Structures are given as structure tokens and as C-alpha cells.
Amino acid sequence: MTTPPVTDSGLPVTAADVHAAAGRLAGVAHRTPVLRSRTLDALVGAPVLLKCENLQRIGAFKFRGAYNAIAQLSAEERRRGVVAHSSGNHAQAVALAARELGAHAVIVMPKDTPRLKLEATTGYGAEIVHYDRYTEDRDAISAALAEERGLIMIPPFDHRDVIAGQGTAALELIEDAGPLDVLLVPVGGGGLAAGCALVAAELSPGVRVIGIEPEEGDDTYRSLAAGERIAVPVPRTLADGQAVPQPGELTFAINRRLLDSIVLVSDAELVEAVRWAYERLKIVLEPSGATPLAALLTGKITIGDGPIGVILSGGNIGAEQFARLITEG
Amino acid sequence: MTTPPVTDSGLPVTAADVHAAAGRLAGVAHRTPVLRSRTLDALVGAPVLLKCENLQRIGAFKFRGAYNAIAQLSAEERRRGVVAHSSGNHAQAVALAARELGAHAVIVMPKDTPRLKLEATTGYGAEIVHYDRYTEDRDAISAALAEERGLIMIPPFDHRDVIAGQGTAALELIEDAGPLDVLLVPVGGGGLAAGCALVAAELSPGVRVIGIEPEEGDDTYRSLAAGERIAVPVPRTLADGQAVPQPGELTFAINRRLLDSIVLVSDAELVEAVRWAYERLKIVLEPSGATPLAALLTGKITIGDGPIGVILSGGNIGAEQFARLITEG
């Protein structure tokens, strides 16, 4: 990747990029609903606005970024195709976005990817290249494919167009619900948080954007404290969508400037939040998608009485695991 | 109850009553989202518009009717209070609506009501009167309470204001999504179907309104065929919200005029629909709330290529049962 242009703000992506992404996504991504719960408002002591990206196409916000990236490729690049490695939501996001845009997609997935996720990805017409996650390096495999076949790599978060695309979730939330005092965003690689923080700073001046990480995947928390990108051991957490060992370069450059802080939640708190969303909101959240709700329900966020925006980022979780989480305890 | 006035249309409730109810509910009930699924559109071959009343306050459409009825009581009547008998969604609906309107609510519930439903109802401040469902008659108990304490009875469906309130679900759907070719509505006592059919006939002329019943609770199906209200044995069906043995007088008078037909679905088809909504829509439906989706997924509805509205009526289902339904098979 060539070095991205740095804008006037000194950041590699701007709020204007998020607005441009929204134009590309109009009529393609769902404008997901903003749900309210009086019970939650009463518990928290302020109005809470829940942006339901679990109700997005492919069941997660990831479609926004993948589509915004692939939509900007030339006709020739699309003909050659794109490549991504993921066993999770990014795989389906790239596969679906590529199909919508007439591009060929190659997804590099571990051999032991759950059948449902595999089928969802092939269902969108993607070609799967398997690798052994214990003996092979997915980065090397993807890079070799890109090189040999001239495929364009679509990274899961550390990419300007991906960051701008993910930010459209907060753009829609603020357009629909008005300015926010606080915005809570899950942090994995940091692309969603970065994009959302950029546009929130523009549309809701003075907003505190707080990133939420699982305790066992606190790489951005540590990196912000250290003032540089810190790598942690591969996280073991229920929040598999946030099991990222190190923040991205671009995402960290943005998040260190724009995030107010990071709040950590435990796996037990995530289970509670998933169950609460099931019982009270009647929606399905995957643990990663429930991190901000967990932070709210446990009282870890210091708030005033102004509106709190929450990005519920995804709902892709196998039925067996979901059944276990809602009936535990 | 005195005999209701019969309007010019010859029906006991009019579309104008539904509009008036919408005015009362504005800012009180959630304007629930209309979800789309491209996968569902492709399966069905037409655009499907899912009105998510599982995301309504108390988790079901029932709040609309209860609130619309209690809101029209005089200050003196509200001071005396209201009474309802239900172990399900109507109990919570009356309890919450009464609290919102400053009325005392007495709910007559079986002694063996599940703890969660009991707590939800007392949580809204209602007084519970228990009865033994095997030896006592809830109608007699409620009538005696109404008589002794001057309480106003709020029936679950066979009441003009309840019917008008439930119809606001279809009113919002058509306002938000435009005219419909077909509207699919679950039928229990028939209040939701009647209210929705009234307003759909007005706002979407030519619409076919199809009621969906569980096979084992086909009282409205049989009644329409017979041209009079038929009672069936107390239905044993997963769709407990539709386990009603006989259509209401008022609801049947409306539904026999305005429903195109009734389609029946089996318990096995309901399980499939609940699981499909979990996997593909990321929402929680109770079996009764999934009846129209089941009818669509099984291809039981004859459709053209015009828009199909679907009322997903509720999402109140215990975690153990939901876990079982989504992992079965």
C-alpha cells in the first residue's frame, strides 16, 4: 500500500470521506434502525440511542467499509478481483460487496472455518482459498494471491476507504437521532471507532467518543496509554470480532487523537449484555456487538443526562453458542 | 359493555378510529422499524416489508390497543382503575398502559404463570389477583372485581378501542413503506387483523389482507368458512398468543368483511420461521409473532410482484424455549 495522503487535519481520513462513503452506500447498505428502550434509559439515567448494525446486511457493520473500498476500484481492477482474509464478518462483507459491484472475490479462510460461515461466504459467490491456521501464514498466502493474480487486497480495518465506510454508521445515527453527548463504539482493529469518531467530531462537536474493548483484547487501551501501537498476545475472548492483537496504523493515528478513552468489559459482562438484549430488546447480538451495551449496563461509563449513542456492531453468532449464552447462569 | 355504535360502513370500528388512536399513541408507543431482507425478497420474489412489533414496548403490539382503550377513560374511571385477565402479552400491555396513564391496574393471572411474566407485570406496578386455572373461572373473577371495585374491564381483543389501537401497526407500516399488494397479519382473537384490515383498506385500496392462524387454533378459518363464529377446543399450539378458541364478536364482524382469506401454519413451520428470523434477521420472534413469516417461507401465499407487508407481532418467549427452537433439528 502506498502512504496515504495526509489531510489538513493531519489525519489520514476526514469527515468528508465519511460523507462521500455515505453517498456510495445509499440504497445499497441498510439504513439500520435506531432503537430505544425506556427501561435502558431509566437504568442509565439518560436517553440511549441504539444503532443496530446487527440488522445491517451480512449482520454486521463490516459491509459498509468493504463496499466503500471496492466501489472505488477501477473497472479494470474489479475485473481482476479482490482478496481478503477473514473467517468472520469481513469475509462475508467483502464477498457480498464484490458481488454487488461485479468484482470477483477470493477469500482466504482457515480450513476449520465453521460450515455456516463458509456457506454464507460461498453463497455470495466468493472463491475460497483454505489454509491451515497452525502451519501457514494467511498474510503471506493473501499477498502471494494478490501478486500472482493481480488481486486488490481489501484489509479488514487499516485502510482509508474501509475506515470512511464504517464511519457512516455514526453519520446515520447522528442524522437520525441528533447530536450526542457520548458515543460508545466497539474497538477491534479500530476502523469502526476511527470512522465514527471522525464524523461524530464534525456533526456533534464536544461529543466524547469512548471505545469499548474486551479485557482480553485490550491492545488499543494499552496503546493509548503507551502513546504507541502495542501488540498483545492473540486475545482469547468471547468477543471474537475484537480478537485483534494490535491496532492498525491508520486507525491508531485517528483514534489516539479522537477517542476520549477506552473502557474494558469482561466475558461475563458480555454474556449479561447479550442476554439483556435478547430479553429486553428482542434482538440478537454477537458478543463483540454487545460490548458497548455491557459497558453501559455495568455502569462503567460516566455520563451526564445528555443523549448516548451506542453502536451495536453485529449479530453473527451460531445458534448453539447463542442458546448457551442466553440460558447460562 | 353497551352495544357499540355501528358506523356508516356497517362495521363497528372505522379507519378514522385507527387514525385517532395513532394520535393518542404518538410519542408513547414506539414507531417500530420496518426491516428489509434482500434474501427474503429473493426467496419470495417480491419486496417484503417487515413491521417489527416484537420491538414494540412490552415486546408486542398489544400495548397499542391497551393504551388506546385506557387513554379514553375519564379521570374518574382511571382513578377507579382497570382490570384484565391474561398470562401473556395483554397483561403487560394493560399494566404498562395503565401506569403511563396514571390508572390502577388489576391483572387476573393463573397461579402457575411463569415467574418472568409475573415479574414483568408487577414491575409495571400492577396488582395481581391469582386464580386456579383448573378450578376457577377467570371471567367470573374479573367480572366480580369489576363489579365490586368499579374497575373498567379491558378485554384483549373484542373491544372497539383495542381494535383501533392495534390497527396503528398497519397504519405506520403503510405510511412508512407505501401501498401494499398483500398484508399478512397473525390472527388470534382477531383484533390486530381487524384493525389492520380497516386502515389498510383505506390507505392501500385493493390490498389483500390475509390472516395467519396456527393449524391447531383455526377458529377464524372455520368461522369464515361457516359464515358464523365457530368455537374450537382450546388450541394446543406453540403459538400461545393465538391459542384462542373463538373469534370475537366485533373482530369477526370486521374480519369476515375485510379479510381475503386465512392461511394455516403448523408448529414445525413456526419453528423454522423463528429460527430463520434468528439467523437471517437477527431478531427474536415468539412463535405467534412468526406465523406470517412461516406462511411466506413455506410458499403458502400466492403473490404477484408487488410489495408484501408483514406484521411480526411479538417477541416474548422464554430463553429456554427460544434456545430449544433455534437449535432443534
Side-chain angles (χ1 to χ4, degrees), chain A residues 249-270:
Chain A
E249 264 182 73
L250 302 178
T251 58
F252 186 65
I254 297 167
N255 287 331
R256 69 185 296 183
R257 276 271 295 279
L258 297 183
L259 291 196
D260 174 82
S261 54
I262 295 280
V263 164
L264 303 177
V265 294
S266 71
D267 276 6
E269 290 163 348
L270 283 179

Side-chain angles (χ1 to χ4, degrees), chain B residues 210-228:
Chain B
I210 301 176
I212 320 290
E213 283 189 308
E215 284 178 356
E216 301 299 317
D218 60 348
D219 52 296
T220 295
Y221 177 82
R222 287 171 189 256
S223 299
L224 288 176
E228 61 177 345

Side-chain angles (χ1 to χ4, degrees), chain A residues 282-308:
Chain A
K282 314 297 178 192
I283 59 173
V284 177
L285 294 179
E286 59 186 280
S288 305
T291 43
L293 183 61
L296 262 186
L297 290 173
T298 52
K300 289 185 176 181
I301 310 288
T302 309
I303 54 161
D305 53 9
I308 302 175

